[in-house]
Amino acid sequence: MSTHVPSAISLKEKGSRECSIHPLFAQRRSLRAFSSKPVEPGRLRLLLEAARWAPSSMNEQPWSFLIAAQENEADFDRLLACLLEFNIRWAQNAPVLLLAVARLTFASTGELNRHALYDAGQAMANLTFQANVCGLSVCQMAGFDMEKTRRTFSIPPSHGPGSHCCSRLPRPSRRTA
Amino acid sequence: MSTHVPSAISLKEKGSRECSIHPLFAQRRSLRAFSSKPVEPGRLRLLLEAARWAPSSMNEQPWSFLIAAQENEADFDRLLACLLEFNIRWAQNAPVLLLAVARLTFASTGELNRHALYDAGQAMANLTFQANVCGLSVCQMAGFDMEKTRRTFSIPPSHGPGSHCCSRLPRPSRRTA
């Protein structure tokens, strides 16, 4: 995928070792085509563990995740129904759906944490990167009904949904019969 | 650094290839001890390039970055002065300071982009990760004066500062005379 990286960005300065964009960034895509194979729980746990290692203001780790695999039909459908129609159309076939939620207030003081969503985004970036390491693909969706999401999962005003996403194996580029 | 990763998280399930937390996550630290050696501009450009590859709602890429190296004394001091006292104390010796800013409205419609800070956080996570790839260390700081930052850099209400951070080479663990 190195052809996608502008060559001007490669670093080869006098006295420094060469360095370039990490291929896992350059190869990340928000793919909507995927294998129907389920994702093993162990892999999912690894994605969450990677998210947990993100930095956060006051080390509040304000993120949490709601997850449903397609096998858990009721939970999966509740998450799916929060998406907007154009996302439901393709996400309904994803093996796993996931919703990131940020606690918007500091647990210690109850005051507004203006970095909560920013930090939750960093956790999601870690999760996405780790997914690539594990051979999975993550596609995030901002197209969801915020109020319906709040109602469905009883998310209080102190918390804010970040993004929905689904995680799955990319569909093999050469189809098998 | 694998000793920091709980062993329960390693994946070794029947029929799946082994997968574990990427060492660049497990090794990331918000270090405050660093080398005084300047960071080459090429490396900085790579960090920004990595940030640019982050996903974002409607592909808005709402992030921007203000950067000052210590050689550019006036710019460096303006960024430094926005930090709270306890951060100024150690960040004043950093070779590079950086401020992430998110555009809070959609460029296309002018409507509120509720994912702007979340997406800017993802860009910062990419930047941090790429810094590690390049042998640099990034430490983010939520401890800054929001209003002073807005005034100093004429940041309009449509934009919101995410976090200040400094980037530098970690101090070698064994000091040389």
Side-chain angles (χ1 to χ4, degrees):
Chain A
M1 294 281 187
S2 60
T3 52
H4 293 281
V5 184
S7 59
I9 296 304
S10 296
L11 174 70
K12 218 172 183 175
E13 290 186 1
K14 199 182 162 189
S16 70
R17 62 194 176 94
E18 196 174 1
C19 191
S20 57
I21 296 291
H22 196 287
L24 284 169
F25 289 138
Q27 286 165 16
R28 188 201 57 74
R29 295 285 182 280
S30 293
L31 299 172
R32 296 184 183 189
F34 47 87
S35 158
S36 57
K37 203 176 155 192
V39 176
E40 306 96 323
R43 282 204 213 202
L44 281 180
R45 281 198 301 276
L46 268 177
L47 306 199
L48 297 171
E49 178 66 10
R52 210 171 67 79
W53 284 74
S56 58
S57 174
M58 306 290 284
N59 197 25
E60 275 273 318
Q61 305 177 27
W63 47 77
S64 50
F65 300 94
L66 303 177
I67 303 179
Q70 206 168 58
E71 304 90 272
N72 308 110
E73 210 172 323
D75 290 340
F76 187 91
D77 287 350
R78 287 169 79 207
L79 271 174
L80 187 69
C82 294
L83 298 176
L84 299 189
E85 186 54 36
F86 65 90
N87 278 325
I88 289 179
R89 236 174 287 153
W90 62 273
Q92 64 184 321
N93 299 315
V96 177
L97 290 177
L98 191 145
L99 167 65
V101 178
R103 190 182 53 239
L104 304 174
T105 52
F106 283 104
S108 45
T109 63
E111 283 175 23
L112 183 70
N113 178 0
R114 63 189 180 189
H115 300 282
L117 281 165
Y118 185 84
D119 290 344
Q122 298 201 61
M124 178 57 84
N126 274 23
L127 186 152
T128 302
F129 186 91
Q130 181 66 40
N132 288 348
V133 172
C134 290
L136 294 166
S137 161
V138 163
C139 181
Q140 292 183 59
M141 296 168 281
F144 64 89
D145 185 324
M146 180 71 85
E147 288 316 310
K148 190 171 183 182
T149 300
R150 283 195 177 281
R151 277 199 312 276
T152 305
F153 298 102
S154 306
I155 298 171
S158 60
H159 288 60
S163 70
H164 282 265
C165 76
C166 61
S167 178
R168 62 283 166 96
L169 293 162
R171 186 169 60 192
S173 54
R174 184 177 294 185
R175 290 186 191 202
T176 52
Chain B
M1 293 279 186
S2 59
T3 51
H4 293 279
V5 183
S7 59
I9 296 303
S10 296
L11 174 70
K12 218 172 183 176
E13 290 186 0
K14 199 182 163 188
S16 70
R17 63 195 176 93
E18 194 173 3
C19 191
S20 56
I21 295 291
H22 196 285
L24 283 169
F25 289 137
Q27 287 165 15
R28 188 201 59 74
R29 294 285 182 280
S30 294
L31 300 172
R32 297 185 183 189
F34 46 87
S35 158
S36 56
K37 202 176 156 190
V39 176
E40 306 95 325
R43 282 203 212 202
L44 280 181
R45 281 198 301 275
L46 268 178
L47 305 199
L48 297 171
E49 178 66 10
R52 209 170 68 79
W53 285 73
S56 59
S57 173
M58 306 290 284
N59 198 24
E60 275 273 319
Q61 304 176 28
W63 47 77
S64 50
F65 299 94
L66 302 177
I67 303 179
Q70 206 167 58
E71 304 89 271
N72 308 110
E73 209 172 322
D75 289 341
F76 187 91
D77 287 350
R78 288 170 78 207
L79 271 174
L80 187 69
C82 294
L83 298 175
L84 299 189
E85 185 55 35
F86 65 90
N87 279 325
I88 289 179
R89 236 174 287 153
W90 63 273
Q92 63 185 321
N93 300 314
V96 177
L97 291 178
L98 190 145
L99 167 65
V101 179
R103 190 182 53 238
L104 304 174
T105 53
F106 283 105
S108 47
T109 62
E111 283 175 22
L112 183 70
N113 178 1
R114 64 189 181 190
H115 300 282
L117 281 165
Y118 184 84
D119 290 344
Q122 298 201 60
M124 178 58 85
N126 274 24
L127 186 153
T128 302
F129 186 91
Q130 181 66 39
N132 288 349
V133 172
C134 291
L136 294 166
S137 161
V138 163
C139 182
Q140 292 183 60
M141 295 168 280
F144 63 90
D145 185 324
M146 180 71 86
E147 288 316 311
K148 190 172 183 181
T149 300
R150 283 195 177 281
R151 277 199 312 277
T152 305
F153 298 103
S154 306
I155 298 171
S158 59
H159 288 61
S163 70
H164 282 265
C165 76
C166 61
S167 178
R168 61 286 164 95
L169 294 161
R171 186 169 59 193
S173 54
R174 184 176 295 184
R175 290 187 190 202
T176 51

